[in-house]
């Protein structure tokens, strides 16, 4: 998480506040999330909270921005254009396996995932969600373009349609994983990720017909 904090709040206190808020939003949704509960859990006064954040919306956006930035650093996603080549699928599979390990580094990453699927908050209401989703969609589109350029990804569909299909599939896998991952022991998770990767490859490989 970034050490840049609003005002003069100590970095450790700032991290605790954002992690607590992420848990509250993920567990109760945006509308039902309680600022009072967050403030109490962090040992803050309301006046102190509003000195740093002007609203629940501002706190929510900061949670999304900081958690997404921290996850991006841990993921270390490759530059899409560098994936083009004979080892395209091997590198994509390695990234997916690495993403599983990175997602377990900080507890609030699971809360971030749940936040993205809150039923009471769409990207239209949150500038931070819009920015993060736009960044993910741009990166994914460039990955697919790299795969198409080297023949690893089928090109019999319009690129924009293909990108939407893949994004929908990845989101479905992500939503399912957030709910069901606790049912799997750590030793079983890599195999699950491999099977999810196999589904993705079958969708995109030119050999799939």
């Amino acid at each position: 998480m970034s050490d840049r904090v609003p005002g003069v709040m100590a970095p450790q206190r700032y991290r605790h506040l954002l992690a607590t808020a992420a848990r509250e939003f993920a567990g109760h949704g945006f509308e039902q999330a309680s600022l009072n509960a967050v403030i109490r859990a962090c040992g803050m006064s309301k006046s102190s909270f509003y000195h740093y954040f002007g609203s629940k919306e501002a706190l929510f956006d900061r949670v999304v921005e900081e958690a997404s930035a921290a996850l991006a650093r841990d993921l270390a996603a490759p530059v899409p254009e560098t994936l083009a080549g004979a080892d395209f699928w091997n590198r994509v599979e390695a990234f997916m396996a690495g993403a599983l390990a990175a997602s377990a580094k900080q507890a609030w990453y699971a809360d971030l995932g749940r936040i993205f699927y809150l039923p009471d908050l769409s990207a239209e209401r949150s500038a931070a969600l819009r920015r993060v989703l736009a960044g993910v969609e741009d990166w994914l589109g460039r990955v697919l373009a790299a795969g198409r350029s080297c023949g690893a990804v089928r090109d019999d569909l319009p690129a924009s349609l293909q990108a939407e299909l893949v994004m929908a599939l990845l989101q479905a896998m992500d939503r399912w994983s957030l709910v069901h991952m606790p049912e799997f022991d750590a030793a079983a998770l890599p195999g699950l990720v491999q099977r999810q990767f196999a589904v993705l490859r079958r969708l995109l490989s030119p050999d799939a017909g």
Side-chain angles (χ1 to χ4, degrees), residues 46-197:
K46 284 188 176 181
S47 60
S48 178
F49 172 83
Y50 284 109
H51 174 71
Y52 297 108
F53 297 94
S55 64
K56 179 193 284 191
E57 289 80 4
L59 176 62
F60 179 87
D61 277 359
R62 187 62 61 88
V63 166
V64 171
E65 290 167 353
E66 293 281 12
S68 297
L71 180 58
R73 289 192 294 271
D74 281 337
L75 286 176
V79 175
E81 290 73 21
T82 67
L83 295 173
D87 60 346
F88 175 86
W89 284 114
N90 290 335
R91 294 186 63 190
V92 171
E93 184 176 18
F95 172 70
M96 289 184 67
L100 174 63
S103 66
K105 285 186 176 182
Q106 296 194 43
W108 72 332
Y109 290 160
D111 290 330
L112 174 67
R114 295 183 184 95
I115 283 171
F116 272 89
Y117 303 112
L118 290 178
D120 63 347
L121 183 71
S122 66
E124 285 71 25
R125 288 187 58 189
S126 168
L129 280 179
R130 288 197 301 274
R131 286 192 294 270
V132 173
L133 286 172
V136 171
E137 290 170 356
D138 176 71
W139 183 83
L140 178 60
R142 290 164 59 200
V143 169
L144 292 172
R148 290 164 72 111
S149 74
C150 65
V153 171
R154 60 194 303 165
D155 61 1
D156 56 339
L157 287 174
S160 58
L161 174 58
Q162 187 176 63
E164 287 195 29
L165 289 171
V166 174
M167 187 70 173
L169 174 61
L170 292 175
Q171 287 179 321
M173 289 179 174
D174 190 37
R175 283 194 299 268
W176 185 92
S177 296
L178 287 166
V179 173
H180 295 284
M181 279 296 192
E183 302 169 11
F184 294 81
D185 60 47
L189 290 179
L192 177 62
V193 172
Q194 287 178 344
R195 291 190 290 276
Q196 290 178 332
F197 167 77

Side-chain angles (χ1 to χ4, degrees), residues 89 154 195 197-209:
W89 284 114
R154 60 194 303 165
R195 291 190 290 276
F197 167 77
V199 171
L200 180 66
R201 184 167 182 173
R202 284 198 296 273
L203 173 68
L204 292 173
S205 173
D207 298 332

Side-chain angles (χ1 to χ4, degrees), residues 9-58:
M9 187 184 292
Q12 184 174 357
R13 190 182 187 196
Y14 180 58
R15 289 191 289 269
H16 178 55
L17 171 63
L18 294 188
T20 302
R23 187 165 57 248
E24 180 70 15
F25 285 125
H28 299 280
F30 180 80
E31 296 295 346
Q32 296 302 315
S34 170
L35 280 182
N36 287 334
V38 173
I39 291 169
R40 284 196 303 270
C42 294
M44 300 177 70
S45 66
K46 284 188 176 181
S47 60
S48 178
F49 172 83
Y50 284 109
H51 174 71
Y52 297 108
F53 297 94
S55 64
K56 179 193 284 191
E57 289 80 4

